[in-house]
Amino acid sequence: MYDWIRDNQLNIMLLLCGACAILTFLLCITRFLSKSRKYALILMEIVAFFLLWFDRTAYLYAGNTGRTAFFMVRISNFLVFFLTSAVVLCFNVYLSDYLTHEGHLPEVPIRLKAVGIISLMGMFLAIVSAFTGLYYYFDDNNVYHRGNGFLIAYIIPVICPIVQYTAMRKYRKLISRLIYISLVLYIYVPIICGVIQIFAYGISIVNMAMVAVSISLYVFNYLDINITVEHAHEIEIQNMQGEQRRMKRIFDQTAKAFVSAVEKKDVFSEDKSVKVAEYARKLARLAGKDESFCDNIYYTALLHDIGLIGVPDSVIQNNANPSQQDYELMRQKPLIGKEILSNITEYPFLSIGAEYSHERYNGTGYPEGLKGEEIPEIARIVAVADAYVTMTMPKRYREAKPDFVAREALVKGGGAEFDPRYADLMVRIIDEESRERIRDDLSLVEKDITCGKYRENVSLGIPVNEKITKITFKCEEGELLEGEYSAPSIVLFDSFDRRVHDDRKAIDAYHYLEYGEVWFDNHSITTAARKIVETIMAREEGASEEKVYEISAAKYDDHLKLIMTSPENTKEVIVALSDGSTAVYIGITGEHCVITEIAAEQTDQVVDASYIPRISEEISYIDHFESDIPNIQINQTCSVFTEGIEIDGKLELSFHAASLPVAHFVWHCPYAVIFSSDNGRVLGRNYKGYALIKLNGELENKYDHADNNFYMKRKDIFPGWEVWKEKNKAGIDCEMTFERKGGRVITTTENLGIVIENITTMKEIPDKVYVALTGDRCALTDIRIL
């Protein structure tokens, strides 16, 4: 390495000189450094350039005895020693400037002032040496030799940088990381090379090192500037983003305030637009839209009903029985909304949503009667979200509809009123929220109720199932007039909203079914229950006479058992329900009494058929001809499955299906589940579900082990959903075809005009794949493998 540097040092010097010249030019035109810092760097590069240039010149003319060489060798060596101290001085100027300007020191540190003075002294000694031979001398052949005081020349280039380094260490926090690295290199690389230079005679390693680190100083300054600029750019971007967020918040708050003011026209519409906006954004995200589109759809949905501001209050408050004139005025809402929002020219999608969100997919909407893809996509999304929120919010003329009623409307309306893609996605959202929500939450039951007239108040229904539920409450007699009666009682019923109803519209809307009412004495009323049997049991002596009432309740299949304890007696009640597919709720009520401290708790004790004595014959809807697979009756969602049938190549199944009398919804029909397991049974060992296909044209999206490509179409022969449900209750013959091709299963079926095709692609291919039939509130008979 030493030999290579010695042989090539003149070329290296020339290369470094050229680099210094180029960097000096670049520094002259740069605009990102302060003037003082830039001038300090320029001075350092110029001094480094001449230091190495004259060092190279000294080598070129060394040993040449000519007149020109005589002067060039002496001038060059003088300037080399002179400029070595000058480099230290220039670096001191640069460091002082950095600490005072970038580091914001009030004055230059004393030690740096001392270094400046010592550097000047070194330059003076170089002049003295030129005349006295202190550092060097020349022989008759014009060859350079070290003088007796040669080592004195290295005191300043070594000691001064160390002093400068102590200043850097003291003010380390004021110096950026990259600049600090460059300063450390500038100080210690020449020192190390100076030590080597003492023993390595014949090469100018120190001078070359000083020039190299001068160049590195520029490079590190450039990198530091880049980081500073990038940081400033990031701050600017953050400020811009912060400003955008602030403007967005202002727009959001202004829009919500505007909407809130409009919704004051109808108390039943308060907060509706925000809910529609939230569901519209969920639909867009589920459809894979980008965040910008999701924001657009949110504000479009938020403002889509703004046209209400131009509709007379009398029309809005008379929407239960609108006249033709009221209807025409209400149809102006989209046009009024469009006119208002069209002034927001930066967001044209707002007026589009307001104008077309009341169009319907089949062309029956308004204002223009557009159909299908003619309706802007943003309006089709808002229409679905608005329909769901409207159905599940109370109106002046009706209560809020339960989720599953709205779900059925969306299933039935997909491809008719609504874009089928977004109707399906809304159904998925409803299903996901239903799984997260505890529908039969016991904490919602009232703790206290006051009952005046008979059944004036009834608590929220307490659900009863196969696990024993314990209910307790206290009851105090109210004020009685002559001939009045006071006692608590319970109502046994089924209802979508867990409430007791006596209004015909509510009974139909919530499919309310009352089985009967039972008192704590030997009295009951039977309505829809097939039979109620009561048995009075004597109370144990010494029992508490506190007015505490207790109920223990459990249901198994189509029978219900109650143990009812009052201060007077205990009785067992057995109720034969209409069939096993119905739900049961207990509503606590009474007459002229105050009921307090109502508490309900579901235990972990699960009952079976032996717990409840049967008082009526089991109702069976599968007492029909049985073929290759045993008949099944599915009283609850997927409560029973057929045995698994292996899909090996092509498989065709036929069966007779009939919805149970209590079936209300379109999904109360047969399902087919494609799966694998060790024993060929659903939920068996190592069970993996791949697809759940419903014959009403739905695909359950809950399986992670496969991807499904689902296609459903309603043909012209489709009779409409109400007729479809009636025919399913009467009974229909169904056929399904399954074909396995390696890791794929192709399912096809058609019933009453509903065509279903589904391709199931399994992520891991099992040895055997099975299909099993199941459903919801239906009976499957005469199941054949064709």
Side-chain angles (χ1 to χ4, degrees):
M1 185 67 178
Y2 173 80
D3 292 337
W4 184 88
I5 294 175
R6 185 186 59 193
D7 294 339
N8 295 280
Q9 69 172 328
L10 295 180
N11 293 329
I12 295 172
M13 289 177 177
L14 187 61
L15 178 65
L16 291 174
C17 286
C20 285
I22 293 171
L23 295 183
T24 302
F25 173 75
L26 293 176
L27 282 167
C28 290
I29 62 175
T30 188
R31 294 181 297 173
F32 294 105
L33 291 172
S34 63
K35 284 187 177 181
S36 58
R37 188 175 172 188
K38 181 169 74 170
Y39 292 153
L41 281 171
I42 290 173
L43 184 60
M44 289 176 67
E45 297 298 337
I46 291 173
V47 170
F49 171 82
F50 282 112
L51 171 64
L52 209 56
W53 180 266
F54 284 109
D55 196 9
R56 183 175 184 274
T57 302
Y59 277 101
L60 287 173
Y61 286 99
N64 189 329
T65 57
R67 183 174 180 79
T68 301
F70 177 86
F71 288 105
M72 291 303 298
V73 165
R74 282 157 179 75
I75 293 171
S76 296
N77 278 282
F78 161 71
L79 287 173
V80 166
F81 282 93
F82 182 85
L83 292 176
T84 298
S85 295
V87 167
V88 176
L89 178 63
C90 291
F91 179 74
N92 201 66
V93 171
Y94 172 79
L95 182 58
S96 300
D97 177 79
Y98 188 91
L99 290 175
T100 53
H101 287 85
E102 306 297 329
H104 304 292
L105 286 181
E107 62 178 357
V108 176
I110 294 175
R111 67 189 76 182
L112 294 184
K113 290 180 180 178
V115 168
I117 294 171
I118 294 171
S119 299
L120 290 172
M121 291 174 60
M123 296 166 70
F124 175 75
L125 285 175
I127 297 172
V128 171
S129 176
F131 296 99
T132 63
L134 179 64
Y135 293 161
Y136 56 88
Y137 66 91
F138 303 95
D139 60 18
D140 295 337
N141 294 320
N142 204 26
V143 176
Y144 166 91
H145 295 278
R146 291 177 179 178
N148 293 329
F150 174 76
L151 291 179
I152 299 173
Y154 282 86
I155 294 175
I156 292 173
V158 172
I159 299 301
C160 287
I162 292 174
V163 175
Q164 291 168 332
Y165 179 71
T166 62
M168 288 164 47
R169 288 295 300 173
K170 181 177 180 179
Y171 301 107
R172 171 67 183 87
K173 293 182 179 179
L174 303 180
I175 306 172
S176 69
R177 185 177 64 87
L178 287 176
I179 296 298
Y180 185 79
I181 292 172
S182 69
L183 297 178
V184 170
L185 290 174
Y186 198 94
I187 289 172
Y188 282 106
V189 169
I191 290 176
I192 294 170
C193 291
V195 174
I196 297 172
Q197 179 80 75
I198 295 172
F199 305 99
Y201 187 70
I203 60 173
S204 296
I205 189 172
V206 173
N207 293 337
M208 288 190 290
M210 292 181 76
V211 173
V213 292
S214 295
I215 294 171
S216 73
L217 199 63
Y218 170 84
V219 173
F220 278 97
N221 269 275
Y222 181 78
L223 294 175
D224 183 64
I225 290 170
N226 280 348
I227 291 175
T228 304
V229 171
E230 287 176 0
H231 182 63
H233 181 66
E234 287 176 2
I235 293 174
E236 184 179 3
I237 293 297
Q238 289 173 1
N239 290 337
M240 290 177 61
Q241 290 174 341
E243 184 65 19
Q244 287 178 341
R245 287 192 293 269
R246 190 179 74 85
M247 294 301 296
K248 187 176 180 180
R249 283 197 301 271
I250 293 173
F251 179 78
D252 182 78
Q253 293 167 2
T254 304
K256 286 179 178 177
F258 188 24
V259 168
S260 178
V262 173
E263 289 178 343
K264 294 295 182 184
K265 293 167 69 73
D266 181 10
V267 68
F268 290 94
S269 294
E270 289 186 13
D271 297 327
K272 176 195 169 187
S273 294
V274 172
K275 292 179 181 178
V276 174
E278 289 171 350
Y279 278 111
R281 177 145 59 189
K282 286 182 180 180
L283 283 169
R285 283 178 176 162
L286 203 56
K289 302 297 184 181
D290 60 40
E291 202 57 33
S292 175
F293 185 93
C294 292
D295 285 343
N296 293 349
I297 193 69
Y298 177 86
Y299 289 108
T300 300
L302 183 67
L303 296 166
H304 81 284
D305 259 349
I306 209 69
L308 275 175
I309 197 170
V311 178
D313 292 353
S314 59
V315 175
I316 296 173
Q317 295 170 7
N318 189 37
N319 51 10
N321 297 295
S323 64
Q324 184 62 33
Q325 184 180 5
D326 291 343
Y327 181 71
E328 293 300 326
L329 288 171
M330 187 61 75
R331 285 170 65 97
Q332 296 301 308
K333 180 182 68 170
L335 300 177
I336 298 171
K338 173 197 172 183
E339 184 177 353
I340 294 171
L341 297 175
S342 61
N343 294 313
I344 308 178
T345 55
E346 290 295 319
Y347 304 118
F349 51 83
L350 296 177
S351 61
I352 291 173
E355 182 177 11
Y356 297 114
S357 60
H358 291 277
E359 298 286 358
R360 291 296 173 256
Y361 202 72
N362 56 8
T364 59
Y366 60 90
E368 296 182 14
L370 301 180
K371 63 188 300 185
E373 301 295 321
E374 296 174 353
I375 307 169
E377 183 180 31
I378 204 165
R380 301 200 303 270
I381 296 173
V382 173
V384 171
D386 181 65
Y388 172 70
V389 173
T390 300
M391 285 186 280
T392 54
M393 286 186 69
K395 293 292 184 182
R396 184 171 284 101
Y397 54 92
R398 63 160 173 82
E399 295 294 325
K401 294 181 180 180
D403 285 347
F404 33 87
V405 173
R407 184 188 191 280
E408 183 184 48
L410 289 164
V411 171
K412 292 162 67 174
E417 294 180 77
F418 312 114
D419 184 323
R421 181 190 182 197
Y422 291 107
D424 289 345
L425 291 177
M426 191 70 236
V427 169
R428 284 178 58 182
I429 292 172
I430 296 170
D431 291 344
E432 289 170 6
E433 290 184 348
S434 297
R435 282 192 289 269
E436 295 171 359
R437 189 186 305 122
I438 303 175
R439 176 170 172 258
D440 291 339
D441 189 352
L442 293 176
S443 66
L444 300 177
V445 178
E446 299 91 336
K447 304 301 179 185
D448 307 291
I449 58 173
T450 300
C451 303
K453 296 179 181 179
Y454 173 61
R455 286 172 59 160
E456 184 177 41
N457 283 314
V458 184
S459 74
L460 184 69
I462 299 169
V464 181
N465 52 38
E466 290 82 1
K467 291 184 177 180
I468 294 177
T469 299
K470 301 282 189 179
I471 305 169
T472 62
F473 61 87
K474 293 181 181 180
C475 181
E476 295 293 337
E477 187 178 277
E479 294 185 5
L480 296 175
L481 299 176
E482 186 176 350
E484 290 182 335
Y485 172 77
S486 174
S489 63
I490 60 172
V491 181
L492 306 176
F493 68 97
D494 184 16
S495 178
F496 289 165
D497 65 346
R498 295 172 59 185
R499 288 291 182 187
V500 172
H501 296 283
D502 55 12
D503 177 74
R504 173 46 58 185
K505 287 186 178 180
I507 289 172
D508 293 339
Y510 296 104
H511 294 267
Y512 177 75
L513 179 66
E514 186 170 317
Y515 304 111
E517 185 173 0
V518 184
W519 282 259
F520 284 82
D521 57 11
N522 192 20
H523 181 60
S524 65
I525 297 175
T526 302
T527 47
R530 288 181 288 155
K531 191 176 183 180
I532 296 179
V533 175
E534 303 170 89
T535 304
I536 299 293
M537 298 181 290
R539 282 182 56 84
E540 296 180 9
E541 293 186 7
S544 173
E545 293 299 321
E546 188 179 6
K547 298 287 186 179
V548 176
Y549 294 77
E550 299 178 357
I551 303 170
S552 175
K555 172 183 177 289
Y556 183 81
D557 197 19
D558 59 349
H559 274 55
L560 171 71
K561 179 178 178 178
L562 305 168
I563 303 295
M564 303 176 63
T565 302
S566 70
E568 289 77 27
N569 57 46
T570 297
K571 72 175 184 178
E572 178 185 84
V573 181
I574 307 297
V575 182
L577 305 171
S578 52
D579 62 41
S581 62
T582 54
V584 180
Y585 294 94
I586 295 176
I588 300 172
T589 184
E591 185 175 0
H592 299 296
C593 61
V594 178
I595 298 173
T596 59
E597 299 181 31
I598 300 173
E601 178 187 8
Q602 187 179 77
T603 69
D604 293 329
Q605 184 178 350
V606 180
V607 304
D608 55 21
S610 63
Y611 179 78
I612 306 176
R614 181 168 287 280
I615 60 175
S616 292
E617 292 295 323
E618 180 180 5
I619 296 178
S620 175
Y621 298 100
I622 58 174
D623 188 15
H624 297 283
F625 182 78
E626 198 167 78
S627 296
D628 300 326
I629 305 294
N631 299 338
I632 58 171
Q633 179 173 317
I634 308 112
N635 290 328
Q636 302 291 332
T637 305
C638 298
S639 57
V640 180
F641 297 86
T642 65
E643 62 187 55
I645 308 161
E646 184 180 357
I647 306 173
D648 185 10
K650 191 171 185 179
L651 170 69
E652 294 184 18
L653 295 179
S654 72
F655 54 90
H656 184 80
S659 299
L660 302 184
V662 295
H664 300 298
F665 299 112
V666 294
W667 57 83
H668 289 164
C669 65
Y671 305 164
V673 58
I674 299 172
F675 69 98
S676 66
S677 68
D678 291 350
N679 61 359
R681 292 188 176 278
V682 175
L683 303 179
R685 189 168 178 267
N686 292 324
Y687 170 80
K688 290 182 179 179
Y690 301 122
L692 180 66
I693 301 164
K694 304 179 182 181
L695 264 63
N696 67 309
E698 291 186 71
L699 175 73
E700 188 78 27
N701 290 285
K702 65 177 183 179
Y703 297 112
D704 298 326
H705 302 293
D707 295 319
N708 288 279
N709 186 5
F710 186 77
Y711 169 79
M712 186 275 289
K713 178 183 179 181
R714 291 192 285 269
K715 299 171 72 174
D716 293 339
I717 61 172
F718 177 68
W721 284 110
E722 294 307 315
V723 175
W724 188 88
K725 288 196 290 186
E726 289 176 7
K727 290 191 174 184
N728 270 271
K729 280 194 176 183
I732 60 172
D733 291 321
C734 303
E735 289 187 0
M736 300 189 74
T737 301
F738 306 89
E739 185 174 3
R740 181 180 180 183
K741 295 182 178 180
R744 297 193 308 163
V745 175
I746 302 170
T747 305
T748 56
T749 185
E750 179 180 345
N751 70 93
L752 298 178
I754 297 179
V755 178
I756 297 173
E757 294 179 7
N758 183 62
I759 300 176
T760 302
T761 304
M762 293 162 282
K763 295 178 181 178
E764 294 181 3
I765 303 175
D767 292 334
K768 294 184 178 182
V769 179
Y770 301 91
V771 62
L773 298 179
T774 182
D776 190 357
R777 291 167 177 79
C778 63
L780 308 182
T781 58
D782 192 18
I783 305 171
R784 302 185 183 192
I785 302 175
L786 303 179

